Amino acid sequence: MKFPSVATNRKLVTSTEINKKISDMTSVLQGFWAADRWDIRICPHPSAIELSKNPSLKNRWVNFDKVENIWLKTELKYFYYVHLNNGTWNAKSVWIRKGTVISRMLGFLNLNYPDITSITEVPIKKALSEYRTYLAEQGVRTTTTNYKLDINQKKIPVYANSYYVTNLKQFMEFYEDFYFDGDEWEKDVWNRRKLSLSEDKVNPTSYEYTINFKGFENDYFKELVKRYCKLMLNTRSFSHVVDTASRLKEFFNFINKNCNGIRRIHQLTRNEVEQYLNEINLKGLKPSTVTGRISTLDVFFFTIQRFEWNDSPSKILIFQEDYPKVPKAQPRYIDEHVLEQLNGKLDKLEPYIATMVMVLQECGMRISELCTLEKGSVITDKEGDCFLKYYQWKMKKEHVIPISKEIAALILVQEQRVADDFDNGCEYLFPRKDGSPLKQDTFRVKLNELAYEEKIMDKKGEIFRFHAHAFRHTVGTRMINNGVPQHIVQKFLGHESPEMTARYAHIFDETLKKEFIKFKETLVTNNGSILELSEDNSEADNTDLQWFKKNINAQALPNGYCRLPVIAGPCPHANACLTCTNFCTSKSFLNEHEEHLDRTKEILNRAKQNQWQRQVETNERVKNRLEQIIHSLKETN
């Protein structure tokens, strides 16, 4: 098997082929698009027809006649024609947002490159550097400052190229790709929209469109990684391969910089690998992040050895001992204190985002599942109860869960909004303007901007940062806290294994509630509410049963049971069990409660006769509690 070939930096078709392509462009640019001056008032594009009706429109023209070079002029026209007609841009983007930008760029190209036959004759770096100088001399800023919220919910500046520089860069990169002599796999940037990947490989709610192999300091290692990533795309998701390429680039650039003489994989020894492991372990990364780096390298070495690539490690380079101990993951649920603030500010969000928040709080979906929710996802059974049917991207399967009629109504209202906006031509419940599903980042950004602007605080007094997945953890934690059996939580959330659901179980020891069923009684709380307990004892084992007996007997009361575990210490309420939320009782204590009520009424009458106000208030509360409890116990079977 041969070593992979080393590609040159710019592999373009011949000048003859470029001339032919430019000729083809000319044949496409007919009618309006062939003109050297594009007048928005007669542009046939639908978005231009709509924009031209705006009486305040100032930029009427895009003037390509500034460029004397006919080859360059054709490339420029075709560039804007393609982006307008494939939906990347609309008329507003070209005539308004880029109007002045285009004019500056045309002037620069005409001045600096009057004699070239294609923009690809000029290296991108060289052109961008010259353009920045050109703009600066004209007093135009070449950078722009935006602001975003960091992980600590602090606004930080983000510096980027101005629209002027970005537009030239887009133009040049378009033709570097357009004239590339080879298929997509040979490029240094793979565009997933050109790879014809199956739907299960691509999450449409992600902004990841490319795998970038630029930046490798050694072309040989770059081509090897490209071959490996192409193999991985047969079985792994696009986003996984994006991470793989990035991590392997980090490793091989480290080797190229720090390990002289290592230019092939089979030359690697344990010494070089240990140098790299030491490097990443000194970065202060989380154990899970370090594990990801090591795992990527481990799988890479193992795979190319297994498939007997000509250049592969001569011995094992990664060992189990190299992996750090990763702390057991705990649910990152959202505190009720934060949720109350969020729900009080939902009216500040756009209606569709507010609806998404409400659905997440009840259903615990992954954000990718919510963003790709389709119209018609609400279904009902013969009794009129509602269910939500959706696709789980992670598990690659359909999933159905019960939902409240209130959430079902919210979803149906959103369906109508989409029908009104898209004339029933969009399949998604939360679409973007082009009809594709909403991106995850859009939801996160809008929610965290709300937290920042409305000062949604955690209990430490700091602005809370929302993570979409935390809503899922919150639902799981709530269900466990409310005594829902773990296997039911697993089914509701669509977990494949009990271990995934078990992450929530540490929040509340459900054994206590499950084992109350051993009494075969209906339990009533101090306010008369019936404790709804599962009768499924399949998960209970002998250890749990012994734990329960030991603890519940220690907390038995003359008229019921205390749900406060012994390990929590002495009861803080002394003899006030009826007002304690940890108190519960059953029908077997009904006689004691009725006798207690009779005594309480006698004391209450005496207190009223003597106008002992404090005693009246205290015993009135006891009387009301007892009446609630007795009523609930008598109503139970």
Side-chain angles (χ1 to χ4, degrees), residues 163-178:
Y163 287 139
Y164 294 90
V165 178
T166 299
N167 198 43
L168 177 61
K169 185 170 182 284
Q170 290 172 334
F171 171 58
M172 299 190 73
E173 287 179 343
F174 173 81
Y175 281 105
E176 187 173 65
D177 179 76
F178 187 75

Side-chain angles (χ1 to χ4, degrees), residues 2 14 25 44 69 86-87 107 151 182 185 217 221 292 361 372 379 432 437 439 447 449 462 485 504 551 560 599 629:
K2 295 180 180 180
T14 63
M25 292 179 210
N69 185 319
N86 69 5
I151 59 173
W185 302 112
E217 295 171 7
F221 289 141
Q361 286 192 58
T372 54
I379 57 178
R432 303 167 75 200
K439 300 298 183 182
L447 211 54
E449 285 178 348
E462 298 174 351
Y504 304 109
N551 285 275
R599 293 195 305 273
I629 290 170

Side-chain angles (χ1 to χ4, degrees), residues 46-61:
S47 66
I49 295 171
E50 186 65 30
L51 183 62
S52 65
K53 298 175 184 177
N54 188 337
S56 61
L57 179 65
K58 295 180 180 178
N59 290 342
R60 178 179 171 183
W61 304 93

Side-chain angles (χ1 to χ4, degrees), residues 448-487:
N448 283 309
E449 285 178 348
L450 176 76
Y452 181 85
E453 292 164 4
E454 298 296 328
K455 302 294 184 289
I456 296 178
M457 304 288 193
D458 60 20
K459 288 187 175 179
K460 296 178 182 178
E462 298 174 351
I463 295 177
F464 187 79
R465 183 162 184 81
F466 286 98
H467 298 275
H469 205 69
F471 287 98
R472 181 172 172 83
H473 287 237
T474 303
V475 170
T477 300
R478 275 179 174 173
M479 294 178 79
I480 291 292
N481 280 355
N482 288 321
V484 178
Q486 186 168 316
H487 71 281

Side-chain angles (χ1 to χ4, degrees), residues 388-392 397-401 491-494:
L388 188 66
K389 181 179 180 180
Y390 61 93
Y391 183 74
Q392 291 190 313
K397 65 180 182 180
E398 294 283 352
H399 189 58
V400 181
I401 59 172
K491 185 173 179 64
F492 184 86
L493 295 177

Side-chain angles (χ1 to χ4, degrees), residues 16-52:
T16 303
E17 275 298 311
I18 288 178
N19 290 340
K20 183 178 181 303
K21 282 181 175 284
I22 289 178
S23 177
D24 292 340
M25 292 179 210
T26 303
S27 65
V28 171
L29 297 170
Q30 296 295 315
F32 170 86
W33 308 106
D36 286 349
R37 302 183 74 209
W38 287 359
D39 181 355
I40 193 171
R41 294 184 183 178
I42 59 173
C43 178
H45 194 274
S47 66
I49 295 171
E50 186 65 30
L51 183 62
S52 65

Side-chain angles (χ1 to χ4, degrees), residues 32 35-40 59-66 76-77 80 84 91 93-96 98-100 102-103 106:
F32 170 86
D36 286 349
R37 302 183 74 209
W38 287 359
D39 181 355
I40 193 171
N59 290 342
R60 178 179 171 183
W61 304 93
V62 175
N63 295 313
F64 295 104
D65 55 0
K66 284 188 176 182
L76 283 162
K77 287 181 190 177
Y80 289 107
L84 267 169
S93 298
V94 175
W95 270 269
I96 297 180
K98 298 181 182 293
T100 307
I102 294 172
S103 180
L106 297 181

